[in-house]
Each structure stands twice: as structure tokens, then as C-alpha cells.
Amino acid sequence: MSVGKTFDTNTEITDKDVLISTFFKTYPDYDTEESHEQISRAWTYLIEKTSGIKRSCGKPYYLHPMRVACILAQMKMDTDTVIAGFFHNIEEVDEASVDYIEKNFGSDVSKIIRDTSKITSLKIKNKTLQQADSIRKMLFAMIDDIRVIIVKMADRLDRMRNLRNVPSEAQRAVSAEVIDIWAPLASRLGMSDIKSEMEDLSLKYSNPDVFQQIKSIVAQKKEERAEYLDKAVQTIYKSAEKQGISVYIKSRAKHFYSIYQKMRKRNKGADELYDLLALRVICTEVSECYTLIGIVHSFWKPLDGRFKDYIAMPKANGYQSLHTTVLFEGRPLEIQIRTRDMDNIAEHGVAAHWLYKKGTNHDMVKAEDLSIINQLKELRSEKLNDESFFQQLKNELLGDEIYVFTPKGDVMELPAGATAIDFAYHVHSAIGEKIVGAKADGKIIPLSTPLKNTQIIEIITNPQAHPTENQLKMVKTSKAKQKIRSWLYQNDAYFKEVAERLHQGETDLAPQPREQRKHHAGKGFIVQHHYTGKIRIGDTTNFFITIAKCCNPAPGDAIVGYISRVRGVTVHKATCLTYQRIPNIEKRSIEVMWDEDNADEKGEKNKKAK
């Protein structure tokens, strides 16, 4: 059941006394003496302030706050949050009310209300710096109290559920905002139930024809699907019973928006897709999860590359589960296996923290453990007043993510599309500044290549290396972009000049010859180089190197390299036309240099010292 459906859009209940009594019957956790008294007083005050006000649809103003409170109650949030749900938009009725609320319901409630009201009128699609600053405030509000965003999430969900009476243009605008910000944010907070419902409702109003098509196809195959899934379910139940494992199995068709994404990705109609079904197996102990995955794979062949162990390697939002897709009766069937506690966290994410507020579960998801919160803490002091930089930040925080490993086995979370340079800066800024190459699973990769899930990334550095403009074009994360820009601004006179001229509004910026853009370090010294004849990448010369026959670069020549599919790293002169004509060369290039004799390097340093 989706959250907070007690007072949905079809309810005929408007009587204020019936509404509050129904609330306590539906959510008995709040019918304790203390909570009942506080919530009842809050409801009475809300009615006092809004009883004569109606919304544009003609319904009483107080219905929406009640529905928001119900969503929060179904999440099992604390009493303060439920009360904040009643009052989340009270300031638009009476600004002075918040002072009264603080005196009578506490500072926690009033702060949630004030912070929530700051982002109520947020227009995501308005790309002005003022609105970018509003989004920044919204994201940073999570650092102080995650409940601010949870209340706002409940507000957005209820508005999506009641969108049918809004003009179609407004429906599309709100749907776009939800897909752009709120659904991804729900995902990052681990609130999958809200995320899925938001996505489905957004599809319903942004693309109603496709929504109805998918709905029709799913409905037509309901009986066939139920029969198919029941066979798989009974097989798992019987096998688990033989092993002495008690399980509960949920079966479902995938959410409409998920089906829509598959249609777009594969360029197929919904009726042509077969992997639309999923089973969720809930057990008690972690060890039982692994026993069950073995049972499932003994019955049905798993599809290559579709097994994922999120128990051993949880997602950044705290999600844990085993995932596999098997071939059952000639069709792909996705199966998820997890414990009851993992299932609570999977459904409610950070809100599950309040399910275990008495300390009965030590694996609960805490706001301070979420990677998005830690990212925001790092970025809180930065000056995010540049619109394009902020857009980059938004994409990084709310976009898709990948998980890669350091050589020591530490897990690093990065946004999809991140490169080895992003990885290096994520580990440490000093490593990012000295990167010249990288390996993924032991093989050299171009620095411009997007990293893939579960790769083991090794960074190759050189003490003489420094950030470059090319690297600035390759990176995805805001941290890497900012650090590279900062270094170039301080050390590259040409980059600083261009940045300042762009800031002044100039557009005619003729490129300066590369040889005139050298840094000034070491200027005035005549340096003699003694080369070994080998090619160096970072600190290592132990690579398979091919010297290009077209230009025959010799030691001392300016050189460039790229990764060949069969000849290792191929080296050309930097001026070679053949190299410049290679398709997609910028994606395959790697920084190379001539190796110099160490003794000569020491002699060179001595000469400079004199």
C-alpha cells in the first residue's frame, strides 16, 4: 500500500471532528496520552486559523495539511514531525502563527515549519541565480534537520495525488519539477515507496497517453501474470520450508515509470517487454538471504551480470538486498531477497530511523550516515553563486550514481559519468592535482573514460604534474571542477585572463598559441635533458609501447599517446596529422613523456641550485 492513503483525493470526509478521530484510529501509535494531547491541540489550532478558508478546488483548506500529516504518520515519524505536517504552510495564512506554535509546540516544530516554508514556492525550472540559491538552501536545510525535507516530500506527494484539477500546463510543470528534483531526492534518501509513486504520477500527467497504454497492458495480463508468479512463489516457499527458513514473498509488476524507462532505453512498446515482473523474498536473518539465493540459482539459471550483492556493499542511501534475475519458464524474473529490517529501510529510507527510535535496531539509517548529507556538509561553505556550477552540483547530488573500489577495497560513490580524475580528487585533492593516468581492473584507461560500477581504480601520479584545461573538460564532479579551476586561476596566466574577460562580458577570445601559454616556473634556466629512450606514464615505464611509424618521434620531441586495442599505448609526435585524424582520439588519449635518467635529473637540480 502506498503511503498516507487514508484521506486520499476521493474521500468524502470533511468534518473536522471525524477527521481527527479517524486519524487516531488509523494510526494508534499516536494515540498515547502525550501524543494524543499534542496532536489534538495542534489540529484545533489549525482549524481555528483556517476553518473559513477554501482552496481553488472548493474543498476546505485544512484537508491538505491533514493528508500530509497522515503520510508522515504512516512513515511513523515522530510527533513533532506530524504536527509540523499540520502547520507546514501555515505562514501563508498567518505569519504570526509560527511564534505561537513555537511557544506552544516547541522550537523543533517551529524550525521545521520555517525551513519548509522557505522552499514552498520553489520553481525548479526557473534558472535564475535567485532560484539556484533557493535550491541550495533547500538542500542545505537537510543538514540541520532531515525532517524538513521529509515534510516537504509529503507535501509534494499529496499535491501530486491531487493534481487532476489543475490545468494541464501546470500539471506538466509540476511533474517535471518532481522528476527533476523530488523523486531523485527521495531516491537518495532511500524512500523508494515515495519515489516510485511520484514517478508514476509524474508520468500520468506529463505523458498521459503512454501512461494509459502501460496501464492497459499491465491490466490485460494481470491473470496471466498472477498465475506465472504464483508458480515461482510456491517453488520458493516449499524449498525454504525444507531448509527450515520462514519467508514472506511479495509479487508485483514493476512501476509504470520503470516500464516507461525500459521502453525508451530499448525502443520497444510495453507489450514487447518481458522483464516486468519481480518477487521480493523477506526472511529473518542475513545468513538466510544467502541460503535463499543459492536455492533460487539451483532452480533457475541466473542471467549474466544481473546478480548484485547490496548486503555486502550497501547503497549510499542505506539500501541492502540481494538482487538476481533468473530465467523462469522462458521469461526473465527479477528476485530480491532481504531481511525484514532491510525491507523497512528499502521502503522508508532515512524515515526508517524513526521506526527504531527506541534503539531496538542498530542498523537503522541515520541522516548523518547518508552520503548526500556528507557531500552537502563538504560543500556548505562553498560559494555556489555561479548558475552553471550549481546545475552541476544539482546533477551530482540528485543524478544516478556508481560505486567503485580503491585498490585497498574501500568503496567510493561517484555520480554516473565520473572519470578517474573525479575519483582521484574524491580520494584527496593532492592526488587529483598530480594524476597523469589510471588503471581500471588492472588495465590502463584514458582519463576521459567514464568509470563503471564495481571497477577497482588505481591512480598513477607524477610529482611534476598539475591540473590542465583538458582535465577540466573531462571531470564530472563539482569538487574536481572547482579544484582544477582554482589551480588554473592561480597558476595559469592565460586561463585567468580568459576567465576575467568572460566575466566582463567579452565573447571574442582568440586562442593563444600553446607555446605562449607555458607556466613561468623555472623560467630563466637552460635545462639539459638526458633521456633513457623509454616512455614514461606517471612514475612507471613498464608498459607495452608502440612508436608510431608515421612520425617516428625521437627522445626530446613533444609527444602524445593513446590507448590502442592491440598495440598497448601508441606514441606519436604532438604535431602528427595522423594522430589528430584518429576518430574519438580525445576519449582514448593518455598523458605520456620521455623517461629521463635519474642521475642527470640530480645534476640538473644541482645546476639550478647554483
Side-chain angles (χ1 to χ4, degrees):
M1 184 175 78
S2 59
V3 294
K5 278 292 189 180
T6 303
F7 303 112
D8 64 17
T9 55
N10 298 316
T11 184
E12 297 300 324
I13 302 175
T14 58
D15 184 277
K16 59 184 185 298
D17 296 325
V18 175
L19 284 169
I20 193 63
S21 63
T22 304
F23 174 90
F24 287 120
K25 288 176 184 175
T26 309
Y27 307 109
D29 288 350
Y30 301 92
D31 205 15
T32 61
E33 184 176 345
E34 184 179 358
S35 292
H36 188 287
E37 190 271 335
Q38 290 179 328
I39 291 172
S40 296
R41 279 195 300 113
W43 178 247
T44 299
Y45 183 69
L46 177 69
I47 296 301
E48 178 187 321
K49 287 292 178 181
T50 65
S51 60
I53 305 174
K54 292 193 175 181
R55 298 189 182 271
S56 56
C57 62
K59 291 186 178 180
Y61 184 93
Y62 53 75
L63 281 182
H64 167 66
M66 172 54 86
R67 293 194 300 258
V68 170
C70 287
I71 292 172
L72 296 167
Q74 185 148 346
M75 290 184 197
K76 298 187 183 297
M77 297 300 295
D78 61 336
T79 299
D80 283 350
T81 310
V82 173
I83 292 172
F86 283 149
F87 297 138
H88 71 278
N89 55 4
I90 193 71
E91 282 190 312
E92 68 183 20
V93 176
D94 180 4
E95 289 186 17
S97 293
V98 183
D99 292 333
Y100 174 87
I101 290 167
E102 183 167 356
K103 290 177 183 176
N104 289 272
F105 298 98
S107 58
D108 274 10
V109 175
S110 64
K111 190 175 188 312
I112 294 171
I113 295 166
R114 286 192 173 100
D115 287 347
T116 303
S117 68
K118 290 177 184 176
I119 54 178
T120 294
S121 59
L122 182 63
K123 306 281 186 206
I124 300 301
K125 289 301 178 183
N126 186 339
K127 296 191 175 182
T128 65
L129 293 180
Q130 181 182 357
Q131 293 301 339
D133 189 58
S134 296
I135 305 173
R136 177 181 66 83
K137 289 176 181 175
M138 177 193 77
L139 292 171
F140 286 158
M142 292 193 295
I143 298 175
D144 296 324
D145 194 335
I146 196 74
R147 293 176 294 180
V148 173
I149 293 301
I150 293 177
V151 170
K152 192 61 196 169
M153 201 77 71
D155 167 67
R156 286 288 101 179
L157 178 59
D158 183 66
R159 290 185 186 278
M160 286 299 294
R161 289 175 177 173
N162 290 271
L163 209 55
R164 68 171 182 266
N165 296 320
V166 174
S168 58
E169 186 177 342
Q171 289 176 350
R172 287 191 293 272
V174 173
S175 297
E177 175 186 311
V178 166
I179 287 295
D180 193 31
I181 290 290
W182 297 105
L185 186 54
S187 178
R188 291 304 301 270
L189 296 176
M191 302 164 74
S192 64
D193 50 352
I194 287 183
K195 166 187 171 285
S196 297
E197 188 176 354
M198 280 183 163
E199 287 177 338
D200 283 357
L201 289 169
S202 294
L203 180 63
K204 178 179 180 179
Y205 293 109
S206 63
N207 202 332
D209 292 340
V210 170
F211 180 87
Q212 291 302 327
Q213 178 197 0
I214 296 172
K215 183 178 180 180
S216 175
I217 289 169
V218 170
Q220 287 171 10
K221 298 188 175 183
K222 188 174 182 180
E223 289 186 11
E224 175 190 337
R225 184 173 71 245
E227 184 179 345
Y228 169 82
L229 289 174
D230 188 58
K231 290 180 184 177
V233 167
Q234 293 308 317
T235 301
I236 297 172
Y237 269 133
K238 290 176 183 176
S239 301
E241 189 178 351
K242 286 181 181 177
Q243 294 291 329
I245 299 174
S246 175
V247 299
Y248 168 65
I249 303 176
K250 309 176 190 178
S251 61
R252 62 176 177 84
K254 293 191 176 178
H255 293 283
F256 290 2
Y257 188 80
S258 173
I259 296 172
Y260 171 63
Q261 292 292 76
K262 288 179 180 291
M263 290 168 59
R264 292 178 63 190
K265 185 177 180 180
R266 302 179 192 176
N267 197 25
K268 290 185 177 182
D271 56 338
E272 298 177 90
L273 299 174
Y274 294 99
D275 54 340
L276 303 181
L277 306 174
L279 293 180
R280 187 171 298 160
V281 184
I282 311 299
C283 51
T284 305
E285 304 291 339
V286 172
S287 59
E288 295 174 349
C289 296
Y290 289 99
T291 301
L292 285 166
I293 200 73
I295 291 172
V296 167
H297 286 171
S298 69
F299 282 122
W300 307 304
K301 180 183 177 182
L303 299 185
D304 288 342
R306 298 292 291 272
F307 172 67
K308 295 182 176 66
D309 187 346
Y310 293 118
I311 293 179
M313 191 175 74
K315 289 187 177 183
N317 59 19
Y319 177 89
Q320 289 185 288
S321 186
L322 298 178
H323 286 202
T324 188
T325 301
V326 299
L327 204 60
F328 173 55
E329 294 191 351
R331 296 166 62 181
L333 174 63
E334 182 182 315
I335 300 175
Q336 302 170 358
I337 302 173
R338 61 182 70 145
T339 66
R340 289 180 178 82
D341 289 338
M342 290 174 190
D343 194 50
N344 273 330
I345 291 170
E347 291 296 319
H348 304 294
V350 71
H353 172 78
W354 281 270
L355 293 174
Y356 306 117
K357 55 184 177 288
K358 293 181 181 178
T360 56
N361 186 295
H362 299 293
D363 298 321
M364 60 187 173
V365 179
K366 298 178 182 178
E368 58 268 26
D369 295 334
L370 292 173
S371 66
I372 188 171
I373 300 298
N374 292 322
Q375 284 174 280
L376 287 166
K377 284 179 179 176
E378 288 181 11
L379 293 163
R380 190 175 201 174
S381 60
E382 307 294 349
K383 295 179 180 178
L384 304 179
N385 57 359
D386 175 77
E387 185 179 335
S388 60
F389 175 69
F390 184 80
Q391 186 66 28
Q392 172 68 31
L393 169 67
K394 182 170 74 74
N395 291 341
E396 179 183 336
L397 289 177
L398 302 180
D400 293 333
E401 67 276 352
I402 60 168
Y403 302 91
V404 292
F405 294 96
T406 68
K408 292 182 178 180
D410 296 327
V411 180
M412 297 285 177
E413 181 199 4
L414 293 167
T419 66
I421 306 172
D422 293 298
F423 176 90
Y425 275 101
H426 191 78
V427 174
H428 199 283
S429 296
I431 295 175
E433 287 188 359
K434 301 301 179 186
I435 185 172
V436 292
K439 293 181 181 180
D441 297 331
K443 297 179 181 178
I444 289 228
I445 58 170
L447 292 181
S448 58
T449 300
L451 303 180
K452 298 176 182 177
N453 262 322
T454 72
Q455 285 181 323
I456 300 172
I457 307 301
E458 182 182 347
I459 301 300
I460 303 168
T461 60
N462 186 310
Q464 306 304 316
H466 57 72
T468 67
E469 288 175 67
N470 273 341
Q471 290 181 353
L472 186 58
K473 297 172 186 175
M474 296 176 192
V475 292
K476 174 84 172 176
T477 59
S478 54
K479 179 178 180 179
K481 283 183 182 292
Q482 185 190 34
K483 293 292 184 182
I484 294 171
R485 278 200 192 102
S486 177
W487 192 96
L488 292 172
Y489 195 80
Q490 293 174 28
N491 296 276
D492 191 310
Y494 175 78
F495 183 89
K496 183 174 182 178
E497 179 190 347
V498 170
E500 289 176 346
R501 289 167 66 186
L502 283 171
H503 184 70
Q504 293 166 7
E506 293 185 44
T507 56
D508 185 18
L509 302 174
Q512 193 175 358
R514 181 177 293 274
E515 58 270 16
Q516 295 179 26
R517 296 167 56 186
K518 303 254 185 214
H519 302 285
H520 300 295
K523 194 172 182 180
F525 295 102
I526 298 173
V527 180
Q528 292 184 343
H529 296 277
H530 298 272
Y531 300 105
T532 65
K534 295 180 180 179
I535 299 295
R536 185 152 51 91
I537 302 174
D539 294 328
T540 309
T541 58
N542 187 24
F543 297 102
F544 179 31
I545 300 291
T546 301
I547 301 296
K549 302 295 185 185
C550 54
C551 55
N552 287 312
D557 290 339
I559 55 174
V560 288
Y562 74 95
I563 298 174
S564 167
R565 292 179 178 83
V566 293
R567 294 191 296 273
V569 176
T570 302
V571 178
H572 290 255
K573 285 184 179 179
T575 55
C576 178
L577 293 177
T578 301
Y579 172 84
Q580 294 172 17
R581 290 170 183 154
I582 297 173
N584 299 318
I585 190 59
E586 69 280 354
K587 295 181 180 178
R588 301 167 61 189
S589 63
I590 187 168
E591 190 170 334
V592 294
M593 62 196 76
W594 292 106
D595 184 51
E596 297 182 46
D597 184 74
N598 288 334
D600 291 329
E601 286 179 7
K602 291 176 184 175
E604 179 188 310
K605 290 178 182 177
N606 292 333
K607 288 178 186 177
K608 288 184 180 181
K610 294 178 182 178

